[in-house]
Amino acid sequence: MWNNYNSLATPPSTNDSIHLHNTSAVKHPTKHLSDIAHPYSAPTLSLLPFPKPRAAEKEEQKWTWRPQRFSNSAREDYRRAGSDGSLKLRHWAKVPKRAPGEDEEMTPNDANSSEGEDDGPYPFAKYTPDNPIIQSYTEEEYIKFLEDSAESGWTKSETDYLFSLLKEYSGRFYIVLDRYEYAGTEEQPSAKRKIEDLKARYYSVVRKLIRARAGDDPEQIKAGESLILQYGFDYVGEKARREHISSLWDRTPQQIAEETLLYTELL
């Protein structure tokens, strides 16, 4: 009977029953958590006092907006604007504020007027890319070196039409294709041209012109060979590339799901 006896066990206190039954005697702690924290522990950021924001002192503006004239050398109509060879445009510019009494309030009507200070050349004109040089040919050069309507299916009138569009739209073939409306002739009606047809015709004409203009001079021939490489064009490869892209674009959602499933199985 003495096996379960524990000499260190303390007898139950008589006050325990009081605390268990008399819950009104239990008082909740009133101290804040920051008061009972360890004296050497750093308080959290939420307990730190936040400084009150000070009212920002308004500084007097040292600049203002004024209408100014400028010249944009990147525009094609810059050279043919007037007798002086310059085109003056207007915009609102941020300039230093003048002394009191000299600065007047500007309105949009002032910006549209021809008066105003000259801001000089446009600073962002240097970032405009140069337009590609579209080659041209003479009547004699075409008859002597470029006449191949039986082989290529391009007449001189259609070739002239293509080169005129390339000059007008700065060699942008996609825009040229969108504007391409050649009516054709009685001898040879118009044919439906694709973008690779336009590129192939232009680059073939330029390569023939380079070879013809080089002549027998070895230096001109060497320089012409490097230019021919720049104007190279793979018609078959370009056509196959566009057909492959078109086939990928025309896929149905079911085909895309099947290809995705096959790709995951191969991984």
Side-chain angles (χ1 to χ4, degrees):
M1 61 181 296
W2 300 101
N3 293 334
N4 297 330
Y5 176 76
N6 187 2
S7 61
L8 299 179
T10 57
S13 176
T14 56
N15 296 328
D16 295 341
S17 59
I18 297 175
H19 290 290
L20 292 176
H21 297 285
N22 189 8
T23 56
S24 61
V26 180
K27 295 183 179 180
H28 296 283
T30 58
K31 290 187 177 181
H32 196 268
L33 291 176
S34 60
D35 299 334
I36 62 175
H38 196 273
Y40 298 102
S41 62
T44 60
L45 293 177
S46 60
L47 301 178
L48 294 177
F50 289 97
K52 295 182 179 180
R54 298 180 179 178
E57 298 178 358
K58 294 184 179 180
E59 298 181 359
E60 184 180 0
Q61 293 182 351
K62 299 180 180 180
W63 51 266
T64 185
W65 293 93
R66 285 182 174 275
Q68 289 188 344
R69 295 181 299 171
F70 69 98
S71 303
N72 189 357
S73 59
R75 294 174 59 99
E76 295 182 358
D77 51 0
Y78 170 76
R79 294 295 179 183
R80 57 176 187 266
S83 58
D84 57 347
S86 62
L87 173 67
K88 294 298 182 181
L89 304 173
R90 293 178 294 275
H91 65 169
W92 288 90
K94 188 177 180 180
V95 296
K97 196 172 184 179
R98 297 179 179 179
E102 298 181 1
D103 197 7
E104 299 178 356
E105 184 179 357
M106 296 294 173
T107 62
N109 296 329
D110 297 332
N112 296 328
S113 63
S114 59
E115 301 179 357
E117 300 178 359
D118 195 349
D119 196 18
Y122 190 52
F124 297 99
K126 59 183 178 181
Y127 300 108
T128 303
D130 297 332
N131 293 331
I133 299 175
I134 305 300
Q135 301 292 339
S136 59
Y137 50 83
T138 62
E139 186 80 17
E140 182 181 357
E141 285 178 335
Y142 189 90
I143 296 174
K144 190 175 182 179
F145 305 110
L146 306 176
E147 180 60 46
D148 58 350
S149 58
E151 300 175 1
S152 62
W154 285 76
T155 60
K156 183 180 183 301
S157 59
E158 188 175 3
T159 305
D160 295 342
Y161 178 75
L162 171 62
F163 274 68
S164 64
L165 288 181
L166 289 173
K167 289 180 181 178
E168 182 178 357
Y169 298 111
S170 304
R172 298 177 176 89
F173 282 93
Y174 285 96
I175 302 179
V176 170
L177 179 64
D178 184 68
R179 304 293 192 273
Y180 201 84
E181 297 177 353
Y182 180 67
T185 59
E186 296 180 358
E187 296 80 7
Q188 186 173 2
S190 61
K192 184 175 178 58
R193 303 293 186 183
K194 298 182 179 180
I195 189 170
E196 54 265 19
D197 299 329
L198 305 182
K199 290 182 178 181
R201 180 57 178 172
Y202 172 73
Y203 290 127
S204 64
V205 169
V206 172
R207 289 195 300 269
K208 291 179 181 179
L209 285 175
I210 293 173
R211 293 190 183 96
R213 293 171 179 175
D216 298 332
D217 189 359
E219 295 183 358
Q220 294 290 337
I221 294 174
K222 186 177 181 180
E225 290 177 354
S226 61
L227 287 176
I228 289 174
L229 294 177
Q230 296 179 10
Y231 289 98
F233 181 73
D234 185 8
Y235 178 82
V236 178
E238 179 68 12
K239 186 176 181 180
R241 184 187 69 85
R242 291 182 59 82
E243 290 178 354
H244 179 65
I245 294 176
S246 179
S247 63
L248 292 177
W249 182 260
D250 295 337
R251 290 179 301 170
T252 61
Q254 183 180 0
Q255 292 176 343
I256 296 175
E258 292 177 357
E259 292 181 3
T260 305
L261 180 60
L262 179 61
Y263 178 75
T264 53
E265 290 178 354
L266 294 176
L267 293 179

